[in-house]
Amino acid sequence: MKAICFYFQIHQPFRLKRYRFFNIGNDHYYYDDFANDDIITRIAHRSYIPAAESLLRMIEDTKGAFRCAISISGVALEQCEQYVPEFVDLLRKLAKTGRCEFLAETYDHSLASLSDPEEFRVQVDLHREKIKSLLGVTPKVFRNTELIYADELAPQIYAMGFKGCITEGAKHILGWKSPNYLYSAASQPKLKLLLKNDKLSEDITNRFSNTSWNEYPLTADKYIGWIADTPQEEQIFNLFMNLETFGEFQQRESGIFQFLEALPRFAAERGVEFLTPTEAVKLLKPVAELSIVHPISWADEARDTTAWLGNRLQNEAFAKLYSVAERVRLCDNRMLKQDWGRLQASDHLFYMSTKHFSDGAAHANFSPYETPYEAFTNYMNVLSDFIVRVEEQYPMSVDNEELNGLLTTIRNQAAEIDTLKKEVSSYRTDLEHLDEEHLLRRPDPKPEKEAKPAKPAKAEKAPKAPRKACVRKTTAKKSETKE
């Protein structure tokens, strides 16, 4: 039987305000609160909320037969909590159905996986904790920022506890292979890979309302027919897209929501089912190992990382940002660490792209800046102030080797403290058990005996008279004789 795996991405960065050179050292607040409020609220009401309501209806109407997955970045969740809490309530409802899986990713939607393995791990752990505390579920499958993946990441992803990872089904990687199968990572065969079906996904995200497209209009029965008519051995069709596709990229008036909600009915008629990523990883067997030497992503025609690291501006900003990573991890300043995370969002580097041709317009559509150079200047001004704050706590005169030594010492001390705490807890438990056993073994106290009547007191004897002093006469006689 064929199956569809739907995955929807939600992310919004904390956008930076216009930060001038003269603000450096004087203003430590970097964000455009008005823009952040306006954008997340507008998109939530036009796209996120109605799309989530559609997904809930699809799950309810099919009695759980429809299933999907959502990944939302930690910074997007923070903004939703602050500006559109009603959307967070909808996410909770989706999580409670058990038919909508929530995936793990980097908390700040960063490119840490390309530069700093330790920071990468920290952010994934933070995101996993956020999803657990806010939505009550623990992610089991991983998706990296912008679906970035390479062989070198697989062992670390698996070591963090994930059995599956989703990424792009890039043509230059697959060659003659089809994305409609489950694969395993060449560098860690226990990690399973779900690959995006690029053509079928973009039929919805990019071409749905394009009247010049030869398949326009796209209907639900036609779309499901394309999937059902593929070779019988093809297993799974991974449709990965931004949730903004529904209501934002494709307007409500285009009929996109009706198209989405009609899919389960026609899928049932053609014997096509729906699976979550975790179900796909458990139920399907990999057909082959897939090696991806250079990082891939789902951005631009090249499906590589040049959307964020394709020019000197981007690479300079990226290198400067991660040059202070170890120092930031040493500090315990909450605001400094919060800013550190928000400045890592890949969007800031995306705005600096100087790509032309077909991708240039796409980059320009998402950028709040008039030019990539303006984006670079604004970001570097903010980053300069941030680095000044970091240096106040950990001067650049301290080299990385010393910092590594300090980090090692701190981690060892933390591990030792944890061990001691566990030992103390164990001793307390043992002591409580000993006290309980002592109470159980102690005999019951015997009843007190009745007091015997006191015996009559004996008459006191008269005290004896003191003896009279006597002089030994013999002594006296002897003395007289000597005279």
Side-chain angles (χ1 to χ4, degrees):
M1 179 176 286
K2 299 182 184 299
I4 294 173
C5 179
F6 257 124
Y7 154 72
F8 306 105
Q9 162 68 16
I10 302 171
H11 167 64
Q12 293 296 331
F14 280 93
R15 292 164 178 82
L16 303 177
K17 66 183 180 182
R18 292 301 188 269
Y19 196 88
R20 310 300 178 189
F21 174 79
F22 299 102
N23 295 125
I24 299 173
N26 300 312
D27 181 5
H28 302 322
Y29 191 77
Y30 309 134
Y31 312 107
D32 188 339
D33 291 335
F34 176 80
N36 290 324
D37 183 356
D38 177 66
I39 292 171
I40 191 74
T41 302
R42 172 175 54 81
I43 293 177
H45 285 94
R46 290 175 59 174
S47 173
Y48 297 160
I49 291 174
E53 290 172 342
S54 289
L55 295 177
L56 273 172
R57 282 194 296 271
M58 293 162 73
I59 292 171
E60 292 168 356
D61 292 346
T62 62
K63 297 181 180 179
F66 174 77
R67 296 155 192 212
C68 63
I70 290 176
S71 178
I72 177 169
S73 66
V75 289
L77 269 175
E78 287 184 19
Q79 293 179 74
C80 289
E81 286 181 281
Q82 184 175 356
Y83 301 119
V84 279
E86 61 270 32
F87 177 59
V88 179
D89 292 337
L90 281 172
L91 293 179
R92 289 194 183 100
K93 290 180 180 179
L94 283 168
K96 286 181 180 178
T97 65
R99 297 296 184 267
C100 180
E101 180 179 0
F102 284 84
L103 308 185
E105 63 169 278
T106 57
Y107 188 95
D108 298 292
H109 203 74
S110 76
L111 303 178
S113 61
L114 300 178
S115 175
D116 192 328
E118 178 63 17
E119 180 64 22
F120 178 53
R121 182 194 61 78
V122 168
Q123 287 200 21
V124 173
D125 287 344
L126 283 174
H127 183 266
R128 188 157 37 186
E129 291 169 8
K130 182 72 172 180
I131 295 296
K132 176 64 177 176
S133 63
L134 196 63
L135 304 181
V137 292
T138 301
K140 298 178 181 179
V141 172
F142 179 73
R143 66 88 63 189
N144 199 8
T145 302
E146 306 294 342
L147 298 192
I148 291 173
Y149 175 82
D151 287 343
E152 64 180 355
L153 298 178
Q156 186 175 5
I157 293 170
Y158 184 79
M160 289 190 289
F162 301 108
K163 306 299 183 184
C165 176
I166 71 173
T167 187
E168 174 67 26
K171 294 177 183 177
H172 68 279
I173 297 297
L174 286 172
W176 58 269
K177 299 184 183 73
S178 169
N180 305 327
Y181 294 95
L182 184 71
Y183 291 88
S184 60
S187 55
Q188 174 47 273
K190 292 183 179 179
L191 181 71
K192 307 303 184 296
L193 300 178
L194 290 165
L195 307 181
K196 172 189 167 190
N197 186 306
D198 187 65
K199 192 268 179 188
L200 288 174
S201 297
E202 293 198 354
D203 284 342
I204 299 175
T205 59
N206 296 346
R207 294 183 278 271
F208 181 81
S209 58
N210 183 1
T211 55
S212 62
W213 182 33
N214 62 347
E215 295 291 349
Y216 180 86
L218 181 60
T219 60
D221 57 339
K222 181 195 292 187
Y223 190 78
I224 293 296
W226 291 344
I227 294 174
D229 293 338
T230 54
Q232 184 177 0
E233 63 273 11
E234 294 196 352
Q235 302 169 316
I236 187 158
F237 298 81
N238 302 306
L239 308 178
F240 302 161
M241 60 197 71
N242 285 298
L243 192 61
E244 291 163 86
T245 297
F246 305 93
E248 183 69 15
F249 301 157
Q250 304 295 334
Q251 300 296 314
R252 175 184 287 274
E253 294 75 19
S254 68
I256 190 67
F257 288 105
Q258 290 85 346
F259 167 82
L260 177 65
E261 293 189 36
L263 289 173
R265 177 166 64 89
F266 289 103
E269 291 178 1
R270 297 297 302 270
V272 178
E273 62 180 350
F274 295 88
L275 295 176
T276 64
T278 293
E279 290 173 335
V281 167
K282 288 182 177 179
L283 296 176
L284 303 178
K285 293 183 178 180
V287 295
E289 291 185 1
L290 194 64
S291 178
I292 303 175
V293 178
H294 303 290
I296 60 172
S297 74
W298 69 351
D300 296 345
E301 187 66 26
R303 299 296 192 263
D304 56 14
T305 60
T306 56
W308 308 275
L309 300 173
N311 62 43
R312 292 178 63 183
L313 301 178
Q314 294 168 312
N315 282 283
E316 181 180 344
F318 185 73
K320 193 73 171 176
L321 174 66
Y322 283 97
S323 68
V324 296
E326 293 179 343
R327 287 170 169 76
V328 176
R329 281 196 290 271
L330 273 175
C331 80
D332 56 1
N333 185 312
R334 187 181 65 85
M335 290 304 298
L336 199 67
K337 286 195 170 184
Q338 183 184 74
D339 291 338
W340 161 244
R342 293 177 179 180
L343 289 177
Q344 290 183 68
S346 64
D347 309 73
H348 304 307
L349 296 169
F350 188 79
Y351 302 149
M352 300 176 199
S353 176
T354 53
K355 283 189 173 185
H356 299 292
F357 310 111
S358 61
D359 295 329
H363 286 255
N365 288 339
F366 290 99
S367 177
Y369 303 97
E370 292 184 5
T371 67
Y373 307 101
E374 183 183 334
F376 173 77
T377 300
N378 199 70
Y379 182 78
M380 293 305 286
N381 285 342
V382 170
L383 188 57
S384 297
D385 182 80
F386 175 76
I387 291 175
V388 168
R389 293 165 58 199
V390 174
E391 289 181 1
E392 288 176 354
Q393 296 202 25
Y394 297 98
M396 298 298 284
S397 58
V398 180
D399 61 26
N400 285 337
E401 289 185 5
E402 291 181 65
L403 284 174
N404 286 331
L406 288 171
L407 281 170
T408 302
T409 301
I410 290 170
R411 288 168 186 157
N412 290 341
Q413 288 177 344
E416 187 176 350
I417 290 170
D418 289 340
T419 302
L420 291 172
K421 284 181 178 179
K422 290 178 182 178
E423 289 180 1
V424 170
S425 177
S426 176
Y427 291 149
R428 285 177 177 168
T429 304
D430 293 343
L431 186 60
E432 289 174 0
H433 290 324
L434 287 173
D435 289 343
E436 291 175 359
E437 291 176 2
H438 178 70
L439 289 173
L440 291 171
R441 292 176 181 176
R442 190 173 67 181
D444 296 333
K446 294 181 180 180
E448 294 183 1
K449 296 180 179 180
E450 293 183 2
K452 294 181 180 180
K455 294 181 181 180
K458 294 181 180 180
E460 293 183 0
K461 295 180 180 180
K464 294 180 179 180
R467 294 180 180 178
K468 293 181 180 180
C470 60
V471 179
R472 292 182 181 180
K473 292 180 180 181
T474 55
T475 305
K477 289 178 179 179
K478 286 180 180 180
S479 59
E480 290 176 0
T481 307
K482 287 181 180 179
E483 292 177 358

